[in-house]
Amino acid sequence: MSSRYNHAESEPKWQRAWRESGAFKAQAPDSERPKAYVLEMFPYPSGRIHVGHSRNYTMGDVVSRFKRARGFNVLHPMGWDAFGLPAENAAIDRGVHPGAWTYDNIKQMKSQIEKLGCDYDWDRELATCDPAYYKHQQAMFLRFWKAGLAYRKKQKVNWDPVDNTVLANEQVVDGRGWRSGAIVETRELDQWMFKVTAYAEDLLAALKSLDRWPEKVRLMQTNWIGKSRGATIRWEIVGEAPEGSPQSIEVFTTRPDTLFGASFLALAADHPLTKTIAARRPEVAAFAASCAALGTSEADIEKAEKKGVDLGLRVRHPFDPEWELPVWAANFVLSSYGTGAIFGSPAGDQRDLDFANAYGLAFTPVVLPPGADPTSHSITTEAYTEDGTLYHSRFLDGLSTQAGIARAIEELEKLGSGEATTTWRLRDWGVSRQRYWGCPIPVIHCPSCGIVGVPEDQLPVRLPEDVAFDKPGNPLARHPHWKHVSCPECAADAVRETDTLDTFVDSSWYFARFTDPKNQDAPFDKAVASAWLPVDQYVGGVEHAVLHLLYSRFFTRAMRDVGLLDLADGEPFAALFTQGMVVHETYRSAAGKWLAPEEVDLKDGQAIELETGLPAQTGPLEKMSKSKKNVVDLDRFVKDFGADVVRWFVLSDSPPERDVEWSAAGAEGAWRFVQRVWSLTEAHGPAAGRVGQSPAPGADKGEALALRQAAHRALKAVTEDIEGFRFNRAVARSYELVNAIARAKGDDPGIVAARGEALTILTQIISPFLPHLAEECWEKLGFDRFVATTPWPTPDPDLVREDSVTLPIQVNGKRRGEITVAKGLSEEEVKALALAHGPVVIALKEQTVRKVIVVPDRIVNIVAG
RNA sequence: GCGGACGUGGCGAAACCGGUAGACGCAGCGGACUUAAAAUCCGCUUCUCGCAAGGGAGUGCGGGUUCGAGUCCCGCCGUCCGCACCA
């Protein structure tokens, strides 16, 4: 009599057994076996997790368990990205201490994640808010500073005057602080910067070698780094330059070949020269102010309008001292890119053209499109930005775009009025935050010694516990005594830095700390970390495609260059997989409020609000989020259906990189599968265990052979699917194998043996996905060790091989029949069989066979007419 | 605007290198078991004409290359993502 698989009993039992056996502890990396470092992006402990979060962890776990079974020494750790704003917001809103709130959440989330049954080495757990962690981060900061990789600089920031804090760009909504609603000001503040640009060239070039990263992510990073080659050109000001300003204006361009098409210079509204002139001329000041008001907020709304003001200056053309051009200030020129000034070449740039047309500035086309007629080619409202042949360009006439660029630069360098330059979009990383819940920056400001690093033996600089969040601003700055210290150099009264580090710093090296998480004297032992790194498989969301991944790439290079790490190419993650999200329908009541899935009843596609009985509106599929209430609680689901069902479902149906839609029906399907595997194992497992030892009579023919073949073919396919991150296909293969086992009826020794073998293989191939069920089945099959630590089986080539093939036969490309022949049969024989095949003969009636194409073991196509 | 990805049954999706389109799952329909239901098991399920045998159409749209195209090429349409006045 079969019983139900009892996940509620089984799952905790195996989790305990795994933990107690120490089966998932990573061994020292110098052991015999090859290493596999598998890592999922560690979470911010925001509280409870829902089924959507489980997909990321499950994918990592499948890889990790598979690698272990394949004989690798696996490192699969988990920890907490524990500093950050939400903890401070909780403190402001509810009066809880950020630390207490964070550790409380960690406790809750850990218990939830543990229930998923992942094979984490929990001994390596870390939290970035732990002084034992940030101590090393502070020491590292000081090393970077000494090496010139960290420095201080005045920088423009978004300042919220009500909350007295700096805001990240994402926290500025429509020009206002997201929390206070106050209009955000631009302020110049002293900020600590990390010199990411020192590695710009390498960060870009090395992307090419990251062939196990998604192309999309590499492209996004390439764009973000934004290398562009061109020239810097100095334009001499006609007459006296305004007082205090240099005599020439520097401009960056990627198209020096179009210099003879220049019609004006345009400066950013906050270019130093614009500011100088604005001090004297009100209309320029007014223009600059109107640009500043637009600022970050509505730039995109106003993007179409090109506006400017004539600054009343003139400059000389570098190639012709007689040629004078006007200088304007323009709203489309960015002070933060290049030199904050451009030369306008309207025929070859749409913005320049719009601007020239708006203000009636004359221009000449200088690039002739291929095949265009030089006498009639003209530009009116559409610029020609492609390559072509230069004309109207004196000594550049007749040159291609590329040759023209080279020739123009050569000339500029000869004249001393410019040179080849490379500019980057990438800028240094500002890491100062006026926040409490972050890693304190370990420096002291002394009135006589300047900025002094906190001596290493005094680290960590701990956050004070007794802080109040009753007032806006940084609690560290107004703490009664925390910041008052004596200078480590001269013992004079001094103050601590009260800024803390951007939390992206915390997550830029945690993967290295995991290799040696208990080390008290160093962030990690150099040899140990160097042996484990790079991470062999990193799994996470695309939302981190640029910042987190780029910062980590910077950090591993910096750590290498200050002598902490041996990592030749500096790359932290050898392979990256970006997984899709779990999405769910959203529901809204007639009254317009969001409804959770359990608050509605779905009948014939119409959602009904249970409480009121009124129809509810079904919204689009969206990422599970608390605010839209379209979440399925993990604990509740695990309690009702089990962790294995969650794991199976989130990997079924959709390819891992694409989103998967959560549905109750789909989850039930996964549940049915689990039950089906169990009932088959329960029914046939014990018998299989008894006969499994010696070759059973009859297992090499008929139905028994077919079942054995199905099992070995499934094994081969699933192995390849896991290696290729095609988990949805592995799931489908597993269904097929279960169907095959269920179909094989009978009790003769051959079938019993084949069934036992198939169940054994099935248990092993599902074990990375359904680890608890697999252990239970493994035990039922009579094995006395964990399936989790049992070596992955190898398919028998004789059973995988197909002996005969079914060939479709086409007549003029249309399928007219099929024949089953021995594999490898000669083309002549196949041809003869095909032409004699009944349906083919009928289809060929009254037609002449002109050609017969035989693709061995694939298809036959007869061309007739 | 620029860059990228994608478009296949009622739905999620398979289809290795150009070679039987729709594996597998969900939903649906029919049947078995049951006093009944649930659960479970078995079968059917791209559309269309046909009682059937069998035929026709079919991978967003329009062309092309090929014996043969979901797959390659050209041009459109649509959806999603990233960047966004980057000189």
Side-chain angles (χ1 to χ4, degrees):
Chain A
M1 196 54 220
S2 72
S3 59
R4 279 209 172 164
Y5 171 66
N6 186 349
H7 66 271
E9 202 175 281
S10 180
E11 292 187 348
K13 178 180 79 185
W14 291 110
Q15 286 164 15
R16 203 177 318 116
W18 291 326
R19 188 168 58 240
E20 284 166 4
S21 71
F24 301 147
K25 282 197 201 318
Q27 303 303 306
D30 55 347
S31 66
E32 301 289 283
R33 295 173 297 162
K35 63 101 181 176
Y37 185 176
V38 180
L39 185 67
E40 298 100 66
M41 290 180 184
F42 70 159
Y44 178 79
S46 57
R48 300 180 63 74
I49 63 172
H50 51 71
V51 293
H53 294 112
S54 65
R55 201 164 186 231
N56 177 239
Y57 309 129
T58 305
M59 286 185 194
D61 199 46
V62 167
V63 174
S64 163
R65 287 174 176 273
F66 177 72
K67 288 283 182 188
R68 177 173 295 105
R70 297 281 271 180
F72 286 83
N73 177 26
V74 171
L75 172 57
H76 190 211
M78 180 46 71
W80 314 98
D81 189 11
F83 272 137
L85 226 39
E88 276 185 69
N89 293 336
I92 294 164
D93 294 343
R94 278 176 276 158
V96 253
H97 188 276
W101 182 85
T102 302
Y103 278 106
D104 212 53
N105 283 348
I106 287 177
K107 200 174 146 210
Q108 243 196 91
M109 275 179 72
K110 185 178 177 185
S111 104
Q112 287 189 293
I113 289 181
E114 278 180 314
K115 285 182 195 153
L116 275 175
C118 298
D119 66 355
Y120 297 125
D121 181 350
W122 281 110
D123 289 352
R124 291 171 186 259
E125 178 181 2
L126 60 81
T128 57
C129 65
D130 183 347
Y133 181 85
Y134 69 68
K135 168 186 167 178
H136 302 293
Q137 187 162 308
Q138 290 173 342
M140 217 183 294
F141 175 89
L142 294 171
R143 286 180 89 140
F144 285 7
W145 185 30
K146 271 198 206 93
L149 290 166
Y151 65 96
R152 235 164 119 76
K153 186 190 160 195
K154 271 213 190 307
Q155 242 225 338
K156 267 187 251 169
V157 293
N158 303 309
W159 181 261
D160 184 320
V162 170
D163 280 354
N164 287 320
T165 186
V166 166
L167 299 176
N169 285 332
E170 311 81 77
Q171 293 165 345
V172 181
V173 183
D174 291 333
R176 290 169 183 274
W178 67 295
R179 174 166 283 276
S180 70
I183 292 185
V184 170
E185 300 170 4
T186 302
R187 278 205 188 177
E188 292 231 307
L189 281 186
D190 276 316
Q191 297 274 292
W192 283 98
M193 311 288 293
F194 279 160
K195 209 163 174 46
V196 181
T197 54
Y199 297 99
E201 194 76 66
D202 186 42
L203 287 168
L204 177 69
L207 286 172
K208 287 192 193 75
S209 68
L210 295 175
D211 55 353
R212 293 168 65 211
W213 279 41
E215 188 55 45
K216 178 192 167 104
V217 173
R218 290 193 281 168
L219 192 76
M220 282 165 72
Q221 293 216 357
T222 303
N223 293 338
W224 185 265
I225 294 169
K227 180 180 185 174
S228 70
R229 289 172 202 277
T232 308
I233 305 169
R234 283 175 292 280
W235 301 69
E236 200 199 334
I237 294 172
V238 177
E240 280 288 290
E243 204 182 332
S245 298
Q247 191 58 42
S248 62
I249 300 171
E250 275 206 350
V251 152
F252 174 72
T253 181
T254 55
R255 295 294 300 272
D257 59 310
T258 64
L259 261 171
F260 288 106
S263 86
F264 60 91
L265 249 60
L267 311 187
D270 49 351
H271 188 279
L273 187 55
T274 314
K275 284 186 186 165
T276 305
I277 295 172
R280 292 196 313 245
R281 293 182 49 191
E283 76 273 24
V284 175
F287 174 75
S290 78
C291 290
L294 278 165
T296 48
S297 58
E298 281 164 280
D300 37 345
I301 300 166
E302 292 287 325
K303 68 183 173 185
E305 283 280 348
K306 298 280 176 285
K307 284 185 183 153
V309 59
D310 192 339
L311 294 177
L313 287 176
R314 296 183 77 75
V315 289
R316 282 185 220 289
H317 195 282
F319 293 154
D320 183 353
E322 304 295 305
W323 184 353
E324 294 184 5
L325 290 86
V327 180
W328 289 62
N331 65 351
F332 65 93
V333 182
L334 304 174
S335 63
S336 54
Y337 188 78
T339 62
I342 61 153
F343 80 80
S345 192
D349 184 293
Q350 194 58 47
R351 290 157 310 169
D352 297 350
L353 182 63
D354 292 345
F355 190 76
N357 284 335
Y359 291 99
L361 301 164
F363 59 88
T364 328
V366 287
V367 180
L368 191 64
D373 175 9
T375 55
S376 63
H377 178 64
S378 73
I379 298 283
T380 51
T381 58
E382 194 120 333
Y384 179 74
T385 57
E386 311 288 304
D387 288 3
T389 307
L390 293 165
Y391 73 133
H392 299 156
S393 291
R394 309 190 195 179
F395 66 89
L396 298 175
D397 277 354
L399 294 177
S400 70
T401 298
Q402 291 315 311
I405 290 171
R407 179 71 186 86
I409 290 174
E410 188 190 314
E411 191 66 18
L412 286 167
E413 288 180 343
K414 200 163 82 189
L415 295 168
S417 48
E419 57 274 318
T421 310
T422 301
T423 356
W424 305 84
R425 208 191 83 108
L426 180 71
R427 282 184 273 161
D428 282 338
W429 173 17
V431 293
S432 297
R433 295 291 181 274
Q434 291 65 41
R435 292 283 167 198
Y436 167 72
W437 196 234
C439 170
I441 297 176
V443 300
I444 290 165
H445 299 265
C446 170
S448 44
C449 308
I451 299 169
V452 182
V454 173
E456 194 140 346
D457 60 7
Q458 290 172 31
L459 296 181
V461 175
R462 285 171 186 270
L463 289 168
E465 287 292 318
D466 52 334
V467 282
F469 292 89
D470 49 349
K471 279 181 262 169
N474 182 355
L476 287 180
R478 54 163 200 271
H479 188 277
H481 53 79
W482 182 77
K483 69 177 173 185
H484 300 291
V485 287
S486 51
C487 170
E489 308 245 306
C490 71
D493 284 351
V495 287
R496 284 191 192 286
E497 171 80 57
T498 58
D499 284 355
T500 51
L501 290 171
D502 180 2
T503 56
F504 272 116
V505 177
D506 312 335
S507 55
S508 291
W509 67 283
Y510 77 105
F511 47 88
R513 178 70 178 172
F514 271 141
T515 65
D516 190 16
K518 300 279 193 322
N519 199 320
Q520 306 213 350
D521 309 318
F524 40 78
D525 180 86
K526 186 173 180 176
V528 170
S530 306
W532 276 115
L533 291 175
V535 171
D536 296 283
Q537 182 65 61
Y538 199 29
V539 186
V542 245
E543 64 273 21
H544 294 112
V546 177
L547 297 184
H548 163 59
L549 292 169
L550 192 68
Y551 293 153
S552 298
R553 296 178 66 219
F554 160 74
F555 244 79
T556 41
R557 284 166 170 77
M559 290 192 292
R560 176 194 64 195
D561 292 348
V562 299
L564 286 169
L565 197 60
D566 284 327
L567 191 66
D569 68 355
E571 287 301 335
F573 312 118
L576 171 71
F577 188 86
T578 53
Q579 96 278 355
M581 299 174 302
V582 178
V583 295
H584 195 282
E585 276 185 332
T586 47
Y587 308 106
R588 266 189 150 160
S589 70
K593 80 177 178 67
W594 296 105
L595 297 172
E598 58 270 19
E599 293 176 301
V600 296
D601 187 25
L602 289 173
K603 278 203 181 108
D604 309 319
Q606 173 63 54
I608 306 287
E609 183 179 4
L610 287 175
E611 203 184 309
T612 59
L614 294 168
Q617 207 185 338
T618 305
L621 294 172
E622 298 206 51
K623 178 186 179 177
M624 284 194 178
S625 79
K626 276 186 219 161
S627 62
K628 305 236 165 76
K629 289 183 94 174
N630 62 339
V631 291
V632 174
D633 184 73
L634 185 64
D635 278 355
R636 174 79 190 278
F637 192 90
V638 167
K639 190 163 168 283
D640 293 347
F641 294 90
D644 283 341
V645 172
V646 182
R647 297 169 58 112
W648 191 250
F649 180 74
V650 295
L651 298 185
S652 315
D653 291 350
S654 284
E657 66 278 10
R658 231 183 281 177
D659 290 349
V660 65
E661 187 194 340
W662 183 274
S663 71
E668 278 165 33
W671 186 80
R672 271 199 296 274
F673 178 78
V674 166
Q675 294 301 332
R676 199 155 177 236
V677 170
W678 176 244
S679 66
L680 279 173
T681 307
E682 210 184 24
H684 305 294
R690 284 195 303 275
V691 295
Q693 314 300 328
S694 54
D700 57 349
K701 56 180 191 285
E703 216 185 343
L705 176 64
L707 180 55
R708 296 190 66 206
Q709 286 174 331
H712 283 261
R713 286 169 192 165
L715 169 60
K716 181 167 186 284
V718 168
T719 305
E720 289 166 2
D721 288 339
I722 295 176
E723 275 169 348
F725 257 84
R726 294 181 295 260
F727 304 132
N728 56 323
R729 281 214 324 207
V731 165
R733 296 295 183 191
S734 305
Y735 272 105
E736 280 176 336
L737 180 54
V738 167
N739 290 342
I741 295 171
R743 259 196 312 270
K745 300 274 191 276
D747 289 315
D748 67 79
I751 283 285
V752 170
R755 202 188 277 129
E757 185 182 10
L759 282 168
T760 304
I761 288 173
L762 173 71
T763 304
Q764 290 189 275
I765 63 178
I766 62 170
S767 67
F769 301 86
L770 305 165
H772 312 89
L773 172 70
E775 294 294 357
E776 205 67 53
C777 293
W778 201 240
E779 192 177 67
K780 192 61 118 183
L781 288 165
F783 296 99
D784 56 6
R785 61 183 290 190
F786 293 132
V787 65
T789 55
T790 299
W792 195 256
T794 310
D796 181 340
D798 289 339
L799 292 167
V800 170
R801 202 183 50 240
E802 311 264 356
D803 294 324
S804 64
V805 282
T806 301
L807 298 181
I809 302 164
Q810 298 179 332
V811 175
N812 292 331
K814 284 197 199 300
R815 187 174 161 280
R816 295 296 170 185
E818 58 183 37
I819 52 173
T820 300
V821 300
K823 203 170 178 184
L825 194 68
S826 78
E827 285 189 31
E828 289 71 42
E829 286 171 280
V830 170
K831 187 172 164 182
L833 283 169
L835 288 170
H837 188 58
V840 174
V841 174
I842 295 164
L844 284 172
K845 202 152 67 175
E846 288 167 28
Q847 293 193 88
T848 315
V849 174
R850 302 198 187 279
K851 198 173 169 190
V852 179
I853 293 142
V854 178
V855 182
D857 299 336
R858 293 236 78 139
I859 202 167
V860 181
N861 192 9
I862 299 163
V863 187

